[in-house]
Amino acid sequence: RTVENHTFGKDRGSLPMIADLQSLHPFFRDKVQQLIRNCRAKGIELVIVESYRTHAKQSEYYSMGKKYTRSAGGKSKHQYGLAVDVVPVIDSLAMWDNVTLWRKVGVEGEKLGLRWGGRWRSPYDPAHFEWSGGLTTQQLAAGALPAIPKSLSGNYPCLTSDIEELRKYWEVWEDVQMSLKREKTRLPAMASSETP
């Protein structure tokens, strides 16, 4: 599942965003689903803005400036299925600027052990939640996987094969978005070269 730019009322670049919870690390995905349920129980409806993010999409955000990200391609937890962006919605409208509502959502995520971007000063990113089991992006890039708490490891008997399968999908999405990026770059160049 993907969503296009401005779907939730904000400029999020020309490449579509992957907004599929199935693209996330299984343990983290379960935490996000619990966050959605917990918020719903409190009368807060959350929608997924972005889940897995390709290097091409991360690079696009990076080129859009520091208000989007300070992390270049390969340096975001999104690129390892360990981060998600959400937004609370009221009457079909995304509530990006409702600080009180964000605090409620943030607290619910933190209760689940998620790191909330609403605690960051720069960039302040209340839509962002992540879990990495304490691993850095360098460790993740080297292929390390975050450890699931031992008390819950029995819930994920096929974790290694699930991650291998996810990585195959991530590679396909990387290829698709790189193709889209090349196409979007090529089209304006072709249009200007055809102008007399």
Side-chain angles (χ1 to χ4, degrees), residues 18-159:
I18 297 164
D20 190 336
L21 288 180
Q22 296 305 312
S23 68
L24 299 174
H25 183 288
F27 180 76
F28 177 62
R29 177 184 59 230
D30 289 349
K31 293 282 187 181
V32 173
Q33 289 171 328
Q34 188 63 52
L35 172 64
I36 292 167
R37 286 191 297 272
N38 291 356
C39 285
R40 188 173 292 137
K42 293 185 178 292
I44 302 168
E45 207 54 47
L46 291 181
V47 295
I48 304 300
V49 175
E50 190 168 19
S51 55
Y52 176 77
R53 185 180 296 156
T54 64
H55 283 57
K57 184 66 177 173
Q58 185 68 28
S59 295
E60 179 181 54
Y61 286 147
Y62 190 69
S63 72
M64 292 169 71
K66 291 181 181 178
K67 79 175 191 173
Y68 288 91
T69 188
R70 292 179 178 217
S71 301
K75 299 189 185 220
S76 167
K77 302 284 189 313
H78 281 279
Q79 294 167 276
Y80 305 97
L82 298 170
V84 67
D85 291 339
V86 297
V87 67
V89 172
I90 297 175
D91 295 329
S92 301
L93 294 174
M95 297 286 113
W96 292 107
D97 300 319
N98 188 327
V99 176
T100 302
L101 191 54
W102 276 123
R103 281 191 196 122
K104 291 177 183 177
V105 173
V107 166
E108 289 303 314
E110 290 175 331
K111 285 181 190 175
L112 295 168
L114 301 178
R115 185 171 178 223
W116 178 44
R119 298 279 182 205
W120 302 343
R121 288 186 179 191
S122 183
Y124 170 71
D125 192 359
H128 181 91
F129 289 91
E130 65 184 34
W131 172 80
S132 64
L135 296 179
T136 65
T137 51
Q138 291 82 8
Q139 291 168 312
L140 293 168
L145 290 174
I148 293 173
K150 287 184 182 182
S151 62
L152 299 173
S153 62
N155 296 345
Y156 302 93
C158 303
L159 183 63

Side-chain angles (χ1 to χ4, degrees), residues 166-178:
L166 270 176
R167 285 181 173 153
K168 289 177 187 174
Y169 285 108
W170 295 344
E171 286 177 24
V172 171
W173 285 324
E174 290 287 349
D175 292 343
V176 167
Q177 287 211 325
M178 281 305 293

